[in-house]
Amino acid sequence: MLYPEMRKPDLKIKHISSIILISFFVLASVCVMSAHAQRVIDYIDISNPFLRKIPIAIPVFKYEPETSPSQKIAREMTQVLSETLEFTAFFKMLKEKTFLENLQSTGVSGSSINFKNWTAIGAELLVTGGIQVQDRLVVVELRLFDTFSSRLLVGKKYKGWHNDTRKIIRRFCNEVVQRLTGSKGFFDSQIAFVSLFKGNKEVYTCDFDGYNIKRLTYNRSTNLSPSWSHDKEWLAYTSYTRNKPDLYIRHLVGDKRGFYISFKGHNITPAWHPNRLEFAAALSKAGNSEIYLLTRTGKIIKRLTYDWGIDVYPTWSPDGKKIAFVSNRSGNAHIYIYNIETSNTRRLTYEGKYNVSPSWSPKGDRIAFCGRKNDQFDIYVMNVDGSRKMQLTKNAGNNESPSWSPDGSLVVFSSTRNGTSKLFVMTAYGTDQRQLLSLKGAQFDPAWSRND
Amino acid sequence: MYAENDYFVRSETNIATWLLTITGSTLGHMLFFAVIFFFPKWDQAEKYQPTIIDIDLVSVSEQTIEPFDELEHPVMDEQPEIDETIPEDQSNNSYDQSINTYDQPETQSIQPETNYEQKQFQPLAPISAPKTFKPLKPKPKIIKPEYKLDPIPEPEPVITPPPKPVQPPEKKEIKPIEKAPEKTQPETVQPARPKIKRSLKKQTIKKEQVTHHKKQKRLSDRFAQLRQKVRIDEAQKRILQVGEPKSTVELMDIYNAEVMSKIRKNWAVSFQMIGGFNTNLRATLVINIQRNGYIQTDMWFEKKSGNEYFDECVLKAVKKSNPLPKLPNAYLRPLYGPIGLNFTPEGLK
C-alpha cells in the first residue's frame, strides 16, 4: 500500500514468493503436526501394587553332615527365620512348593546360585543358609541376596550352641532389616504387659514375638501400666499392693534394690525418659492429678503441669524435650503436648470426648492414642501437630493402650475382638493385625521396650 | 494476500539477494523434508496413537481406497478447467471439512496402504486426466489382496459371529463417502487456486504442480482420515448397537489393559518402606514392546519418583513381567512403543 507504483511486481519474484509461502505453510503444518505427535505417547497407568510387601524366598538351609538330626535343625532354623522376618510385615514369604532350586544341591554362595530360578518365581530377595552341626555346636552361614541384581546384601557367619539358634536368627534379622530400611529392627526388644489370671493382675514380659513369656510380679494384687527404662534394665509399674496406687521401680537384669514411691494420693502412669534414668508420672499429692518429673529413686525433680484438671498418661518425645499427656482441663479427656524447655502447653485433639493413653513414636513424627467413638475404643494415629489423623482399628471390639515398636514400624495394643482382651500387633498403618500371644486369661496394658 | 504480495514487491529492488535467500530456504526445506522422509524415526510418535485407529480400518475399510483414487485424480484434472465458477457456493463446507481433518493428524502415518496410494498418485497426477480413469480399476485389484492378508489374523473371526449386521453398514459407509468426496474435491482445491492460476499461466508448471501435489496429498490424506473417522464412528455405533464385546477399535486398549494387569500383578511395594499409603510417589518408565511381547532392553525413566526403593520396585515389576503378551496380529508394526508406564502407589490400602 505504501508503494502503489510497485503494484506490478516482477512475475518471477511473485511466483517464487507464492511457492515459498506455500512451502512455509506446509513446513509449518508438518512441524506442528510432528511436534504435537511426538509429545503424544501412550501412557498406561499402573497403580495399586498387587503385593504390599517384599517377596522373599527362604529355602531350607543346606546342612552338613547330611543326617536326619542336622536336617531337623536346618528345617527348624529356616522356620524360625521365616516367622521372624514375616513378623515385621515387610516381607511376603514365598511358598516352598514353588521353589525351583534346592540349596542342598546347589550350594549357598552367590556363584553357585542361578538367580533366574528365583526371579522366575517372583522372589526379589533370597536368603540362603548353610549349617554345619558339630557335636553341640552349630556354625551358621546366612546370606541375603537381591535376586534381580545378583548382589550380596548381607553375609554373616555365626557360631553357637544348639539352643542359641533363635538368637542367631534374630541377630541376622537385625542385619537384614538394617540393610533394607536403614534403621535397626526390633529383634532384641521385649514387651511387658499385664495379665489377669485368677482375679489378679500381674506384670509379665515376653520377647517381641510373644515368645519366652516370664512372670514378673507375684503379689496377688493389681499391677498396671508397666514402663521400660531406656536401657531396658528398669521397669516401673503401678501396684495396689498396699491398697493404694503406688509406683514400684524394679531392676530386671541384676539384683539391684528396687524403689517404692508412695506420695499422698495416687501415683500412677510412669513413663521413663528416653535417654536418662528419670521418669514422669501422675501424682495427686497436690490435690488433683498432675504430671511430675522424678528420679529413679523417687525424688521429685520438677512439677510439670499446673492446672485444675486431671493430668495423666505422660509419654516422652524421643528427644526428651516434650511430653504428651492426657488432661480434662477442657472438660473432656484430650491429648496435650507440654514443652519442657519453654513450658508451653498445646492441645492436639479436639474430636471426641475421650482420647487417652498417648504413645509417642520412636521416630518422633507420630503419636498413637486410644479414642472413643460411638462407645467403641479404637486406636488412632496422628502427627505431632494433630494433623493427618488416621484410624487404625475398626469394628473389632475395643482396642486400647497402643505402644510402638522400637523402630516405629509396628504397634502393639490390646483388643477385645475375640471376647476377652488379648494383645495384638499391627503395622503403623493398621495393616497385618494379628494376635501376639495366646495366654490364659485377659492381657492388656502392653509396653514395648527399646532395643537395648 | 495483497499485503503479502506488497511485501514481496518491496523487496523487488534486491532481486539477487532475494534469489539467494529463496534458493537457500528451498534447499533448507528440501534437506528438512529429506530428513523427515529418510529418517522416519522422528515421526514414530505420530504413528503410535493412530495404531489403534488403523487396525479398525483394516477390518472395516476394504473398499476405502477406491474413493481416494477417484477423488484425487479428478481433482488434478479439473483444476485447470473448472476453476473459479464453483468455489464460492460450497467453499464453506470444504473449509469445515479441512478443519476437521487437521484435528486428526495421526491416522496417516500408520497404514501401509496410504503409503501405497501416495506413491501411485505422484506419477499419475501430472500426466493427464483421461489416463487416471483407467488405473482406477487395477488399483483396487492390487489393494484387495493386501486387505485379504490383513483380516486373516484377527478381524475375520471377530466379524463372523454377527455377519448380517456388519456387512450392510459397510456398504452404506462406502456410498456416503464416495458422494462426499466428489462434492468436496472442487471445494477444497479452490482456496489454493487463486495463487496457482496466476502462477500457472505465466510461469513454470512443474514447481506449481509439485506444490500442488503436496497440497493434494495432504488434502487427500485428510479426506482419508475423515473417512476413517466416520467409519470408525459408525463402526463404534454399530458395536454399541449390536453389543459386540470384541471390537478392533479397542484392540490396543485391550492390549494395554493386559500389559497393565500383568505388570501390576508382578508389582510388589512394601508400603512401610515408602512411608505408608498417602505418598505422592510417581515414576514413569518408558518401554518398547517387540512383536513377540518381549520388552526391549533400553527402557528408561521419563520421571523418577525420588525414592530409590520405589524406582527399584518399578524396574523389578517390569523385568518380572518381561515376556508381556504378544502384540495382537492385527497390529502391523514390528514394535509397539514407546509406551510410558505411570506407576503410582495409589490405592495401596
Side-chain angles (χ1 to χ4, degrees), chain A residues 1-3 6-27 29-31 33-34 36-55 88-91 119 121-125 146-149 151 180-181 363 388 390-391 409-410 427-432, chain B residues 4-6 8-10 12-13 15 18-19 22 25 29 32-33 36 42-43 45-46 48-49 52 102 105 108 195 198-199 202-204 207-208 211 215 218 222 256 259-260 263-273 275-278 282 284 302 309 312-313 316 319-320 336 338-349:
Chain A
M1 302 299 272
L2 292 171
Y3 306 91
M6 289 181 177
R7 263 283 162 98
K8 289 182 181 174
D10 181 86
L11 288 170
K12 263 191 186 175
I13 288 175
K14 202 188 173 191
H15 174 65
I16 293 170
S17 68
S18 68
I19 290 176
I20 290 171
L21 262 181
I22 292 168
S23 62
F24 262 115
F25 182 63
V26 172
L27 180 79
S29 66
V30 166
C31 282
M33 278 167 58
S34 63
H36 174 69
Q38 267 198 323
R39 269 182 230 149
V40 179
I41 301 179
D42 269 0
Y43 283 101
I44 303 176
D45 288 326
I46 302 171
S47 59
N48 194 6
F50 192 69
L51 201 60
R52 292 170 288 159
K53 301 179 181 184
I54 307 170
T88 63
F90 275 101
F91 305 101
T119 58
I121 61 166
E124 293 182 7
L125 293 174
D146 180 326
T147 55
F148 278 86
S149 61
R151 256 186 316 160
L180 295 178
T181 67
K363 283 181 182 170
R388 278 189 64 204
M390 212 164 101
Q391 184 173 355
S409 67
L410 297 180
T427 67
Y429 306 98
T431 61
D432 293 276
Chain B
E4 287 164 349
N5 285 337
D6 287 345
F8 288 117
V9 170
R10 260 178 260 160
E12 188 185 355
T13 49
I15 294 172
W18 252 106
L19 283 173
I22 286 158
S25 69
H29 288 117
F32 180 79
F33 282 112
I36 285 178
W42 292 93
D43 283 344
E46 198 182 353
Y48 304 131
Q49 280 211 336
I52 301 163
Y102 280 111
Q108 303 172 348
K195 300 174 191 171
R198 291 171 192 167
S199 58
K202 296 161 187 174
Q203 283 288 325
T204 57
K207 290 178 182 174
E208 283 281 344
T211 53
K215 266 210 155 186
R218 276 170 52 216
R222 293 203 175 123
N256 286 349
V259 169
M260 191 274 280
I263 295 176
R264 196 184 79 85
K265 269 182 197 163
N266 284 317
W267 190 22
V269 176
S270 164
F271 64 91
Q272 288 173 300
M273 298 267 285
F277 310 109
N278 299 321
R282 183 186 187 87
T284 304
E302 187 181 281
Y309 168 75
E312 211 171 289
C313 284
K316 282 178 179 174
K319 282 180 184 169
K320 263 196 244 174
Y336 179 51
I339 304 160
L341 305 174
N342 286 329
F343 288 88
T344 49
E346 286 161 17
L348 259 178
K349 210 165 191 179

Side-chain angles (χ1 to χ4, degrees), chain B residues 45-271:
Chain B
E46 198 182 353
K47 295 165 186 174
Y48 304 131
Q49 280 211 336
T51 55
I52 301 163
I53 303 162
D54 296 348
I55 297 146
D56 308 332
L57 295 170
V58 174
S59 63
V60 185
S61 64
E62 291 185 356
Q63 295 158 349
T64 54
I65 298 162
E66 295 174 7
F68 287 95
D69 300 334
E70 292 174 3
L71 288 173
E72 292 162 7
H73 295 295
V75 172
M76 292 297 299
D77 305 332
E78 293 169 2
Q79 287 163 3
E81 299 169 1
I82 306 165
D83 297 354
E84 297 177 353
T85 53
I86 309 167
E88 295 173 0
D89 303 335
Q90 298 170 338
S91 59
N92 295 331
N93 297 330
S94 67
Y95 283 112
D96 294 341
Q97 288 188 343
S98 64
I99 291 163
N100 290 333
T101 53
Y102 280 111
D103 296 328
Q104 288 189 330
E106 307 136 2
T107 47
Q108 303 172 348
S109 54
I110 307 151
Q111 274 203 340
E113 303 147 16
T114 51
N115 294 333
Y116 285 112
E117 292 167 3
Q118 289 175 357
K119 288 172 187 172
Q120 293 168 355
F121 293 128
Q122 289 176 351
L124 288 172
I127 299 167
S128 68
K131 288 177 184 176
T132 53
F133 288 106
K134 293 172 185 175
L136 284 175
K137 292 173 184 175
K139 281 170 190 170
K141 289 174 186 173
I142 297 165
I143 297 153
K144 281 174 182 173
E146 294 175 354
Y147 285 113
K148 286 172 185 173
L149 286 174
D150 297 336
I152 292 166
E154 270 204 56
E156 284 188 354
V158 176
I159 300 166
T160 44
K164 292 174 183 176
V166 177
Q167 289 173 351
E170 283 182 347
K171 292 172 185 174
K172 290 174 185 173
E173 294 166 8
I174 299 156
K175 288 173 185 174
I177 293 155
E178 289 175 352
K179 291 171 186 173
E182 288 175 355
K183 291 174 185 174
T184 53
Q185 292 155 14
E187 304 159 7
T188 50
V189 182
Q190 290 150 11
R193 276 172 203 161
K195 300 174 191 171
I196 300 155
K197 273 188 172 182
R198 291 171 192 167
S199 58
L200 272 174
K201 289 172 186 172
K202 296 161 187 174
Q203 283 288 325
T204 57
I205 305 162
K206 290 178 183 174
K207 290 178 182 174
E208 283 281 344
Q209 280 184 337
V210 171
T211 53
H212 213 86
H213 290 315
K214 284 179 184 172
K215 266 210 155 186
Q216 283 181 347
K217 269 182 226 161
R218 276 170 52 216
L219 286 173
S220 63
D221 288 346
R222 293 203 175 123
F223 276 129
Q225 292 165 15
L226 234 191
R227 246 165 260 137
Q228 289 167 1
K229 194 191 178 187
V230 169
R231 220 160 278 134
I232 291 159
D233 290 344
E234 287 182 11
Q236 284 175 335
K237 281 179 191 170
R238 224 188 310 140
I239 290 155
L240 286 174
Q241 289 168 356
V242 179
E244 280 181 311
K246 290 180 182 177
S247 78
T248 46
V249 177
E250 298 158 356
L251 187 60
M252 290 325 273
D253 284 346
I254 291 168
Y255 182 77
N256 286 349
E258 282 173 356
V259 169
M260 191 274 280
S261 75
K262 173 147 194 190
I263 295 176
R264 196 184 79 85
K265 269 182 197 163
N266 284 317
W267 190 22
V269 176
S270 164
F271 64 91

Side-chain angles (χ1 to χ4, degrees), chain A residues 90 177 181 183-186 361-363 404-410 451:
Chain A
F90 275 101
V177 170
T181 67
S183 59
K184 208 177 167 191
F186 46 73
S361 155
K363 283 181 182 170
W404 295 89
S405 69
D407 64 347
S409 67
L410 297 180
N451 237 337

Side-chain angles (χ1 to χ4, degrees), chain A residues 204-221:
Chain A
Y204 288 71
T205 62
C206 67
D207 290 350
F208 69 93
D209 53 1
Y211 187 80
N212 193 21
I213 298 168
K214 286 178 189 165
R215 184 170 169 184
L216 215 65
T217 59
Y218 292 87
N219 51 35
R220 295 188 181 181
S221 175

